[in-house]
């Protein structure tokens, strides 16, 4: 493969007896390099040597009690070295560290992938995100969640340290409000007032998550993605080394970066031998909830509530996509006793029975929204990411030429696939 004319070589000079938190220092440095996204590094033990700590004697192999020299040699792309090397400052202490360009004849380096510039979380995060304190009234925090379209609201103390997070899930699990927060804006004053009254005396601290998940601003984007995927997060707070909140990272920013990087790569004149990105068909979600036009409304509502109120794709008997059922469209189409039944069901701690839901004799088609723009199986991941960003969609259907629903693409699935390309 074609490679750069040179890469950067970093050497770190240690002794075998150097320790870090009870273990060998060279292992701690190698682990830090690996987790930060370095291409590769090797710890080499010297046969003999001396340095500032061994002026009176030579350290020699096979002589017990002698402190053998250890050199860590790390070869990588220059931009990656610039990003990662400062992360080793606390480990290296007074050790000698050198860096120099090295001509390359043949090499296999860590792929650049869609995040080819090796940018860190600090480059993509939203700075100065909305925050609250544990003493903030809960209703004020809910306004932030809705108005700022947040999946997670950081909670900080007087010094700016992250002490908790508030999510829609925290609200529905730990407060008297069992329905999604955004629904408060869709209710009438008469419907909303009793719910608000239950929240009047609550503060953020009474329901927030007190062990918040967060990432450091200095880590690489692929490392942050791994964390977000493992935790199932769409947004994650970003902190500095003192755990002070400095930003918020979300899936949309990551997808926008992937699209930008792909466009930059397409503009380069260099010949590339990388494999083409996989099509949407290889990463789409093929197991999903869908309703059919022949179902009564209350059956479809049971499915909608079971999917945690994610939009429900509706198919005709030939499995062609004809529309979507959302909680918003249902609320808009219901009135009187039917609407009251749905609001009561939403406030129940257990999934409601079909008989308790409205629409037993009502056709489903009356409350459908038009289907969103669809993707085709052959579309590239980058084009799918661009489409999701353009439409500000949480998921899009994948259909064939006959409009048969084949699968679903969501930001989380795209992020996971793009991460694999960057490994």
């Amino acid at each position: 493969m074609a490679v750069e004319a040179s890469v950067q070589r970093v050497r770190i000079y240690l002794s075998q007896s150097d320790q870090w938190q009870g273990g060998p220092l060279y292992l701690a440095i190698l682990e830090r390099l690996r987790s930060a996204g370095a291409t590769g590094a090797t710890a080499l033990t010297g046969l003999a040597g001396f340095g500032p700590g061994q002026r009176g004697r030579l350290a020699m192999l096979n002589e017990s009690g002698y402190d053998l020299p250890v050199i860590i040699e790390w070869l990588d792309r220059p931009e990656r070295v610039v990003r990662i090397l400062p992360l080793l400052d606390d480990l290296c202490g007074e050790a000698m560290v050198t860096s120099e360009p090295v001509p390359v004849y043949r090499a296999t380096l860590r792929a650049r992938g869609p995040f080819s510039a090796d940018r860190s979380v600090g480059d993509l995060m939203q700075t100065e995100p909305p925050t609250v304190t544990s003493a903030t009234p809960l209703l004020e925090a809910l306004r932030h969640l809705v108005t700022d379209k947040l999946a997670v609201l950081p909670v900080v103390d007087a010094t700016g340290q992250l002490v908790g997070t508030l999510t829609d899930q925290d609200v529905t699990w730990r407060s008297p409000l069992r329905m999604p927060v955004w629904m408060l804006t869709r209710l009438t004053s008469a419907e909303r007032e009793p719910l608000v009254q239950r929240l009047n005396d609550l503060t953020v601290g009474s329901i927030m998550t007190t062990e918040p998940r967060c990432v450091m601003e200095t880590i690489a984007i692929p490392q942050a993605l791994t964390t977000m995927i493992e935790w199932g997060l769409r947004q994650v707070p970003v902190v500095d080394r003192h755990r002070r909140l400095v930003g918020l990272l979300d899936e949309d920013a990551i997808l926008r970066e992937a699209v930008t990087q792909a466009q930059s790569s397409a503009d380069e004149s260099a010949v590339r031998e990388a494999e083409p990105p996989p099509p949407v068909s290889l990463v789409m979600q093929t197991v999903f909830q869908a309703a059919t036009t022949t179902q009564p409304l209350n059956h479809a509502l049971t499915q909608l509530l079971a999917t945690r109120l994610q939009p429900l794709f509706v198919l005709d008997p030939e499995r062609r996509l004809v529309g979507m059922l959302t909680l918003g469209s249902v609320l808009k189409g219901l009135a009187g006793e039917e609407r009251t039944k749905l609001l009561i069901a939403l406030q129940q701690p257990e999934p409601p029975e079909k008989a308790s839901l409205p629409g037993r004799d009502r056709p489903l088609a009356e409350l459908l929204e038009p289907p969103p723009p669809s993707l085709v199986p052959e579309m590239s991941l980058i084009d799918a990411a661009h489409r999701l960003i353009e439409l500000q969609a949480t998921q899009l259907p994948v259909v064939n030429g006959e409009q048969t629903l084949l699968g679903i693409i969501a930001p989380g699935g795209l992020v996971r696939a793009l991460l694999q390309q960057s490994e």
Side-chain angles (χ1 to χ4, degrees), residues 395-406:
Q395 57 181 6
L396 288 176
V398 181
V399 301
N400 61 16
E402 289 75 37
Q403 293 300 300
T404 302
L405 182 62
L406 304 176

Side-chain angles (χ1 to χ4, degrees), residues 315-341:
L315 314 177
D316 67 12
E318 285 74 39
R319 291 191 61 81
R320 292 186 296 247
L321 181 63
V322 296
M324 291 178 64
L325 189 71
T326 68
L327 187 56
S329 66
V330 173
L331 279 172
K332 187 177 180 180
L334 294 181
E337 183 181 348
E338 286 188 321
R339 185 177 170 101
T340 300
K341 275 187 177 183

Side-chain angles (χ1 to χ4, degrees), residues 13-69:
Y13 295 82
L14 307 169
S15 293
Q16 199 172 43
S17 62
D18 291 335
Q19 296 284 298
W20 177 262
Q21 297 182 349
L25 176 58
Y26 66 88
L27 290 181
I29 292 176
L30 289 176
E31 175 57 26
R32 181 77 60 88
L33 289 170
R34 185 199 64 78
S35 63
T39 292
T42 303
L44 308 171
T45 302
L47 295 174
F50 70 93
Q54 300 164 328
R55 292 187 182 277
R57 56 175 171 78
L58 287 177
M60 299 183 65
L61 187 64
N62 294 329
E63 294 194 19
S64 61
Y66 279 15
D67 192 7
L68 296 177

Side-chain angles (χ1 to χ4, degrees), residues 84-124:
I84 297 177
L85 194 54
L87 305 182
L88 305 180
D89 286 348
D90 59 324
L91 292 175
C92 291
E94 298 181 356
M96 177 180 286
V97 180
T98 64
S99 179
E100 59 187 331
V102 178
V104 172
Y105 168 67
R106 180 181 299 165
T108 301
L109 299 179
R110 180 182 289 272
R112 290 181 184 270
F115 309 109
S116 60
D118 279 319
R119 302 178 71 185
S120 68
V121 167
D123 295 317
L124 296 188

Side-chain angles (χ1 to χ4, degrees), residues 349-421:
E350 299 296 331
E353 298 292 333
K354 293 184 181 68
S356 66
L357 292 170
R360 184 177 60 181
D361 301 316
R362 188 166 185 174
L364 180 60
E366 294 181 7
L367 301 181
L368 291 188
E369 292 183 0
S374 57
L375 310 178
V376 294
E378 301 80 18
M379 180 177 283
S380 72
L381 296 185
I382 294 300
D383 287 341
H386 187 271
R387 198 75 170 130
L388 277 168
I389 294 169
E390 181 183 48
L391 298 172
Q392 297 183 340
T394 58
Q395 57 181 6
L396 288 176
V398 181
V399 301
N400 61 16
E402 289 75 37
Q403 293 300 300
T404 302
L405 182 62
L406 304 176
I408 295 171
I409 281 290
L414 281 179
V415 166
R416 280 190 290 272
L418 293 170
L419 173 61
Q420 292 175 348
Q421 282 191 272

Side-chain angles (χ1 to χ4, degrees), residues 248-268:
L248 195 67
L249 182 68
D250 62 48
E251 286 179 340
D252 285 347
I254 294 167
L255 289 180
R256 281 193 294 271
E257 171 68 3
V259 171
T260 300
Q261 292 293 341
Q263 291 172 342
S264 298
S265 298
D267 293 338
E268 293 178 3

